[in-house]
Amino acid sequence: MCYYTIVFVLHWYPIGGEILSAAEPLLHRNFHPTVIVRGYTKALQKAIDTCKSICRTIDIDNIEELRGIVMTAIGTKFSSRWGDLMVDMAIKAVKRVVIKHENYTEVDVKRYCRVEKIPGGELSDWRVLDGVMFNKDVTHNKMRRKIDNPRVLLLDCPLEYKKGESTTNVEIMNEEDFNTLLRQEEEYVENICAHIVAVKPDIVITEKGVSDLAQHYLVKANITAFRRLRKSDMNRVARCTGATIVNRTDEIQESDIGNRCGHFEIRKIGDE
């Protein structure tokens, strides 16, 4: 039972197979597994002590030192032609998302670094952007596609009439009742658009849908809109622009508007 426990723990590590192969002759000589594990524990502690004795503090502002470390980690994953490019991009990408707080430094690569794949081109076309990119087009062709210093509003609510969560039946007796229902939908969409227009954003991005009527009101107010953006992309846009994701249009405040964006542009890259 102890032998299989060793297999389970060590098979995740690259040297796990070599360690087990060294332990097998000892098992054939009737060494108890606990004795073998005790030896491995002593070797582990010796390795940790050795690492502590030879380690040194790295200056993160020294690019050459960082390049040497990163080259050791990922330099062998690519050919010599692209190795330097990959190393420089890795360092730039991580330094982009570093935030220094009063008591600690935050480096959240998983949430705020993203690799966007576009068909075509060569490895030399790769870039690290000082901002956020997402593969979306505007909801209406008359909306602006290039804005300097835009005010950005992020929403987690639909800009369309809410459908019933369960089966809903409406009994209409005459034509006027049908017109009343349509008018209620239009008034609802008009109200939520009025809340948005009141804070005068240049760009509105929502995780949900945008109806045709809402697009009409936003175009009249010269507002560019995007819909159905993923939550992970929304978090990156919020981090970049300083905006706060709002759940209801009637709760929008001036402090929720992001104004740290220097330039917004829609550009065609390849076929996308």
Side-chain angles (χ1 to χ4, degrees):
M1 181 176 180
C2 292
Y3 174 75
Y4 289 110
T5 303
I6 298 172
V7 174
F8 178 76
V9 173
L10 294 179
H11 87 281
W12 298 100
Y13 296 90
I15 62 173
E18 290 296 326
I19 292 176
L20 291 177
S21 64
E24 187 175 7
L26 299 177
L27 290 171
H28 292 322
R29 292 168 58 185
N30 295 325
F31 279 82
H32 196 276
T34 56
V35 177
I36 301 174
V37 172
R38 194 180 306 124
Y40 285 151
T41 303
K42 291 182 179 179
L44 174 62
Q45 187 59 47
K46 181 64 176 178
I48 293 175
D49 293 339
T50 302
C51 289
K52 288 182 179 179
S53 65
I54 64 176
C55 70
R56 61 187 178 87
T57 303
I58 298 296
D59 181 9
I60 60 175
D61 294 325
N62 190 330
I63 301 299
E64 291 304 319
E65 276 193 323
L66 291 179
R67 291 185 83 257
I69 296 172
V70 178
M71 179 65 77
T72 303
I74 69 173
T76 58
K77 305 296 190 296
F78 301 91
S79 65
S80 58
R81 180 183 177 187
W82 306 111
D84 292 339
L85 174 63
M86 297 298 109
V87 169
D88 292 337
M89 289 182 60
I91 295 175
K92 289 179 182 178
V94 173
K95 291 179 77 68
R96 286 284 194 274
V97 298
V98 173
I99 290 185
K100 294 184 179 180
H101 298 278
E102 184 176 352
N103 299 321
Y104 67 97
T105 300
E106 178 186 354
V107 187
D108 196 341
V109 178
K110 185 176 181 180
R111 292 179 62 190
Y112 298 116
C113 281
R114 173 178 171 79
V115 178
E116 193 73 36
K117 302 175 184 177
I118 300 175
E122 296 183 357
L123 292 179
S124 59
D125 297 329
W126 292 10
R127 296 289 184 274
V128 177
L129 298 180
D130 189 12
V132 180
M133 182 175 74
F134 49 87
N135 191 355
K136 287 285 182 180
D137 198 0
V138 293
T139 57
H140 195 283
N141 59 6
K142 291 186 178 180
M143 291 179 176
R144 290 181 290 173
R145 296 171 181 266
K146 183 182 295 186
I147 307 173
D148 289 325
N149 300 315
R151 290 165 53 85
V152 182
L153 173 63
L154 305 181
L155 298 175
D156 186 18
C157 59
L159 303 183
E160 55 189 357
Y161 191 75
K162 293 183 179 179
K163 298 181 176 62
E165 296 182 359
S166 57
T167 303
T168 304
N169 294 323
V170 178
E171 185 173 345
I172 297 176
M173 304 301 296
N174 53 57
E175 183 179 354
E176 185 61 30
D177 293 339
F178 183 73
N179 292 333
T180 302
L181 289 176
L182 293 179
R183 189 162 55 252
Q184 288 179 355
E185 292 187 12
E186 293 176 358
E187 290 176 355
Y188 175 82
V189 174
E190 185 178 2
N191 286 334
I192 60 177
C193 289
H195 295 149
I196 295 173
V197 174
V199 294
K200 299 179 180 179
D202 296 305
I203 300 173
V204 174
I205 305 176
T206 178
E207 297 181 30
K208 305 299 193 299
V210 179
S211 68
D212 293 341
L213 184 59
Q215 294 177 37
H216 168 72
Y217 289 123
L218 294 178
V219 169
K220 286 181 61 178
N222 200 23
I223 297 174
T224 298
F226 295 90
R227 60 186 169 189
R228 296 188 178 90
L229 198 69
R230 285 177 293 194
K231 184 68 175 180
S232 58
D233 288 333
M234 290 285 282
N235 289 333
R236 277 187 284 273
V237 175
R239 176 77 166 266
C240 179
T241 62
T244 303
I245 301 176
V246 183
N247 297 313
R248 292 169 56 95
T249 57
D250 55 356
E251 296 176 351
I252 300 174
Q253 300 178 1
E254 178 62 29
S255 58
D256 298 325
I257 303 297
N259 51 21
R260 292 208 306 255
C261 178
H263 181 71
F264 156 79
E265 182 180 358
I266 297 181
R267 183 184 305 171
K268 184 176 181 180
I269 303 177
D271 295 332
E272 300 286 338

